[in-house]
Amino acid sequence: RGAVPRRPMGIGQELTRGLLAAIGHRGPPPGVRGKSERVIASRQGPHLRLADGGAGIINFCANNYLGLSSHPEVIRAAVEALEKFGAGLSSVRFICGTQSIHKDLEEKIARFHQREDAILYASCFDANAGIFEALLTPEDAVLSDELNHASIIDGIRLCKANKYRYKHMDMQDLEAKLKEAQKHRLRLVATDGAFSMDGDIAPLREICQLAQKYDALVFIDECHATGFLGPNGRGTDELLGVMDKVTIINSTLGKALGGAAGGYTTGPKPLIDLLRQRSRPYLFSNSLPPAVVGCASKALDLLMESNAIAQSMAAKTQRFRSKMTAAGFTISGKDHPICPVMLGDARLASVMAEDMLNRGIYVIGFSYPVVPKGKARIRVQISAVHSDEDIDRCVEAFTQVGRKHGALP
């Protein structure tokens, strides 16, 4: 019963270094800050406190588009679900992991998107990992925008369908690929509704027209659209008037809809029935914790009761974009609360983001391989709970930092 001997510290380090060298991992370029996790000592919201102390900061890098992560009614719903249904189910859905609140939330999601049915996942990454393999066979084809989210790319890699990649939002290239794919049994066009790095919106009208012309189905990932794009916040298909032409929607509960966790697929009931039988991330992952389900359910209630929160995004997004453009910055995308400040140089994006934090503005710089080489940027994300003063302070800090580092004259 003596103490278990510990291995000497550092064992395997040589092997690990050799492995990292073999796969070409050399860390970030000189002067570029690598990925790090700043520890937050407060709730998610427009104003934060970091664990390392200091004054509060204004948060412009969260996906908390509607400010519901700390909404009192959302928090109350989570507490009530926790008290009534417990911490978790300790199991997968088909064994003993489904409660009435899971079925209620799936019904509510389908009603919100005006679809027949919905299925919950632990995340939208899981939803994207689970749909292509279950739906597509070696006789089928999937056509994917080249800038789709990594989860879509990984999900497509898992399936055995014939894979086509079309140039970003290039409808001529998509049509050429659809013509080439006519030899296959089924064709599925897969695209982000709103692209998270660029803040641009897929041309769904044109995609749906081509899909109808070439007898294809349309799949969209709405993680950066659900809750705030469109007159009632239902997403890009509502915004562009093609809700009856998009076949499958995958989205998240972890951004605008409460900000906790979880994802889903919504669409035709036969497809959802198929996923319940064959989708591996669904079959082999624990069901969502009741508190998370409670959060998301209340967030949907708030959205379906009133579109006021969703509509408040437009004016605030326009305020930031117009003021930054007037200051001399180039902002990618159009009319989306994801506002990438394009800088080009990776080191410039890194040092400017760090300097912004020193001025009380929390933003993140992105460079290769997260974005293409030469397209480094600082991504700013506007929330419905940002005040006009918050936005103006952010623009002022950008202007000062931009001049200091030569990004502005």
Side-chain angles (χ1 to χ4, degrees):
R1 292 183 180 266
V4 177
R6 296 185 177 183
R7 293 182 176 180
M9 292 295 290
I11 190 167
Q13 287 186 358
E14 290 296 328
L15 180 62
T16 303
R17 280 196 288 266
L19 175 62
L20 293 176
I23 63 175
H25 178 75
R26 298 178 179 84
V32 177
R33 184 186 180 92
K35 297 181 186 66
S36 61
E37 298 179 4
R38 300 192 187 278
V39 181
I40 297 171
S42 61
R43 292 179 178 181
Q44 181 63 273
H47 299 92
L48 301 175
R49 286 186 301 103
L50 296 181
D52 57 6
I57 58 175
I58 307 177
N59 181 16
F60 280 96
C61 58
N63 299 315
N64 186 25
Y65 295 112
L66 300 178
L68 297 182
S69 295
S70 299
H71 192 287
E73 291 187 49
V74 172
I75 294 173
R76 191 177 308 117
V79 172
E80 290 172 357
L82 180 66
E83 291 177 341
K84 183 176 181 180
F85 292 99
L89 278 298
S90 307
S91 188
V92 299
R93 289 280 296 270
F94 79 95
I95 298 177
C96 59
T98 298
Q99 292 173 319
S100 57
I101 53 172
H102 295 94
K103 300 304 292 183
D104 291 345
L105 178 55
E106 287 171 336
E107 186 277 330
K108 195 174 291 185
I109 288 168
R111 181 155 39 93
F112 178 72
H113 285 285
Q114 299 180 2
R115 297 307 197 275
E116 293 180 0
D117 202 357
I119 181 173
L120 290 171
Y121 287 88
S123 67
C124 190
F125 207 111
D126 276 351
N128 286 342
I131 189 166
F132 301 103
E133 183 184 27
L135 179 62
L136 302 176
T137 74
E139 300 177 46
D140 305 318
V142 57
L143 303 94
S144 175
D145 187 294
E146 65 179 349
L147 293 188
N148 275 340
H149 190 268
S151 59
I152 300 176
I153 295 169
D154 285 357
I156 289 173
R157 285 172 176 165
L158 290 171
C159 79
K160 296 181 180 179
N162 298 274
K163 301 167 180 67
Y164 296 81
R165 185 173 65 177
Y166 64 92
K167 296 175 184 177
H168 181 48
M169 301 201 309
D170 186 326
M171 294 300 96
Q172 288 186 332
D173 194 38
L174 174 58
E175 183 167 19
K177 298 295 194 303
L178 279 166
K179 287 179 180 178
E180 188 179 347
Q182 288 301 292
K183 57 192 174 186
H184 303 298
R185 184 194 64 157
L186 174 70
R187 289 154 296 285
L188 177 67
V189 180
T191 181
D192 276 313
F195 291 85
S196 61
M197 283 297 135
D198 293 277
D200 48 9
I201 297 170
L204 286 184
R205 291 195 191 99
E206 293 81 357
I207 289 173
C208 289
Q209 289 169 0
L210 288 174
Q212 186 173 6
K213 180 178 179 180
Y214 292 99
D215 194 24
L217 304 177
V218 177
F219 162 97
I220 56 174
D221 179 312
E222 289 284 80
C223 286
H224 292 276
T226 298
F228 57 92
L229 287 188
N232 299 290
R234 289 186 168 89
T236 54
D237 61 337
E238 183 189 45
L239 177 71
L240 299 174
V242 291
M243 290 186 72
D244 60 336
K245 295 179 173 61
V246 172
T247 310
I248 308 165
I249 293 174
N250 277 12
S251 194
T252 183
L253 306 173
K255 292 182 172 59
L257 300 184
Y264 58 85
T265 296
T266 185
K269 189 176 189 325
L271 168 67
I272 304 304
D273 290 342
L274 173 72
L275 294 176
R276 291 193 194 282
Q277 299 300 316
R278 295 189 183 178
S279 181
R280 292 165 70 88
Y282 175 82
L283 290 170
F284 297 102
S285 296
N286 269 19
S287 54
L288 278 179
V292 172
V293 177
C295 282
S297 184
K298 176 54 68 173
L300 283 169
D301 287 343
L302 293 172
L303 285 177
M304 288 192 281
E305 287 168 7
S306 170
N307 66 353
I309 302 177
Q311 290 300 304
S312 71
M313 290 297 308
K316 294 182 179 183
T317 298
Q318 179 59 29
R319 184 183 188 92
F320 179 81
R321 284 180 170 271
S322 62
K323 289 200 167 196
M324 286 290 285
T325 301
F329 289 103
T330 298
I331 311 299
S332 179
K334 181 182 178 183
D335 301 332
H336 194 284
I338 292 174
C339 303
V341 182
M342 304 304 293
L343 299 169
D345 182 73
R347 183 181 180 281
L348 178 62
S350 180
V351 296
M352 280 186 60
E354 192 70 22
D355 211 351
M356 290 287 288
L357 184 62
N358 293 334
R359 295 166 190 258
I361 305 295
Y362 190 12
V363 290
I364 298 294
F366 291 89
S367 57
Y368 180 83
V370 180
V371 296
K373 288 183 178 179
K375 294 191 175 182
R377 82 255 342 239
I378 293 176
R379 188 178 70 173
V380 176
Q381 291 172 271
I382 306 299
S383 171
V385 288
H386 282 131
S387 67
D388 287 348
E389 291 76 15
D390 292 336
I391 293 171
D392 293 349
R393 183 175 164 189
C394 183
V395 173
E396 181 182 0
F398 259 113
T399 303
Q400 293 172 355
V401 171
R403 287 172 180 159
K404 174 182 175 181
H405 295 284
L408 292 178

